[in-house]
Amino acid sequence: MRNIIETYMMKNGFSIWQPKVALFDMDGVLYDSMPNHSRSWEAAMKLYHINISKQDAYLYEGMRGVEVIKKLFRDQRGEIIDDERAEEMYRTKSQYYAGCDIAPVIPHVKDVQQTMKNFGMKIGVVTGSGQATLLDRILQDFQGLVDEDVIVTANNVTRGKPHPEPYIVGMDMAGCRPWETIVVENAPLGVRASNAARCFTIAVNTGPLHDRTLKREGADLIVHSMRDLNLLLPLLLTPTEG
């Protein structure tokens, strides 16, 4: 684990590692919601004669919904659509999602957060979602763990993942710098955003993608369950000076 941290510090030119905040993605990290999202995307976009596969849903996860729709239209139909039309289509997707079964909390993610809290860390959330009902659920399900003042949604940024802005905003909310920040992600675009913000990036691969896809985007550490991550945390959270 020391080698992984030293590699991260060297890559970014940092001389200190002092984790103070953890920023969690929501879908696929806090909740096992990606199957619902992939079905909703497929059903909603079919109405507009746009195809999106399950794997595509994972590849685009973390990007603002409006941006996903604009990209799909541009790539598949060579058509540039405006934000208003994309937002209308995204509302259709949201309606499909609202009809799905409630996604369960990812196993052992609360254990991970509690361990981080025991080390004195703040816990935040950085998501491309802007749905108020989902955000209310976070505060209910993760009461006493997630800091209400460190929640970044699609409404807090002008550029979503893979741009680093969401994680830069999250660090600003927490009053922390990159070498004080751990990001927990599951999606390639989220990993790319975190890496661009120079945060230490943990990819919990809970989906169908190969590890190399996440590594290629800049993941510093890849695990396959929250239980595995929790076992590594005591080694990871020890401050280091280069």
Side-chain angles (χ1 to χ4, degrees):
M1 189 58 66
R2 290 292 97 188
N3 290 340
I4 291 173
I5 294 170
E6 288 168 5
T7 299
Y8 160 76
M9 292 167 64
M10 187 177 301
K11 176 178 73 173
N12 290 285
F14 299 150
S15 61
I16 189 170
W17 165 246
Q18 194 172 28
K20 295 181 179 178
V21 65
L23 302 175
F24 286 72
D25 180 37
M26 183 175 70
D27 293 307
V29 175
L30 297 183
Y31 296 105
D32 188 14
S33 50
M34 285 308 298
N36 288 349
H37 278 294
S38 62
R39 286 192 295 269
S40 300
W41 273 117
E42 182 179 18
M45 291 301 97
K46 190 176 293 185
L47 298 177
Y48 305 103
H49 308 290
I50 292 289
N51 297 316
I52 179 168
S53 67
K54 177 181 179 181
Q55 184 154 341
D56 287 339
Y58 279 85
L59 288 171
Y60 297 145
E61 195 266 304
M63 186 184 291
R64 294 169 67 224
V66 167
E67 293 173 355
V68 172
I69 291 168
K70 293 171 76 171
K71 175 176 174 56
L72 290 170
F73 269 77
R74 184 172 62 249
D75 292 350
Q76 294 189 25
R77 291 169 47 171
E79 185 177 344
I80 305 299
I81 63 173
D82 59 25
D83 285 352
E84 183 177 357
R85 187 178 175 200
E87 285 168 359
E88 179 183 343
M89 294 177 184
Y90 185 61
R91 283 194 291 272
T92 300
K93 182 265 176 183
S94 297
Q95 289 168 358
Y96 274 102
Y97 185 86
C100 295
D101 294 336
I102 295 175
V105 172
I106 290 282
H108 302 290
V109 67
K110 291 185 182 182
D111 296 337
V112 168
Q113 293 183 342
Q114 187 60 61
T115 299
M116 290 174 165
K117 295 284 280 190
N118 292 345
F119 275 83
M121 296 182 69
K122 294 181 181 178
I123 306 293
V125 176
V126 177
T127 175
S129 174
Q131 298 179 52
T133 54
L134 293 177
L135 305 178
D136 289 342
R137 188 185 170 199
I138 288 174
L139 295 177
Q140 178 179 336
D141 289 342
F142 296 90
Q143 186 175 12
L145 295 170
V146 168
D147 187 330
E148 187 173 357
D149 295 328
V150 189
I151 297 181
V152 181
T153 74
N155 303 319
N156 299 114
V157 299
T158 57
R159 294 163 294 188
K161 304 170 189 177
H163 195 278
E165 182 183 354
Y167 284 112
I168 292 171
V169 170
M171 285 189 284
D172 287 344
M173 287 181 175
C176 291
R177 293 162 290 186
W179 59 89
E180 299 171 324
T181 306
I182 291 174
V183 166
V184 184
E185 268 283 356
N186 73 308
L189 297 184
V191 170
R192 189 191 306 175
S194 173
N195 185 57
R198 303 202 296 167
C199 304
F200 185 90
T201 309
I202 300 172
V204 184
N205 194 356
T206 58
L209 304 177
H210 197 282
D211 283 357
R212 64 173 171 266
T213 303
L214 299 164
K215 185 66 175 177
R216 188 167 54 240
E217 296 292 357
D220 297 293
L221 174 65
I222 299 174
V223 296
H224 296 97
S225 72
M226 290 294 175
R227 176 181 286 175
D228 290 345
L229 175 55
N230 200 36
L231 292 173
L232 295 174
L233 282 180
L235 295 174
L236 182 64
L237 299 183
T238 303
T240 297
E241 291 191 17

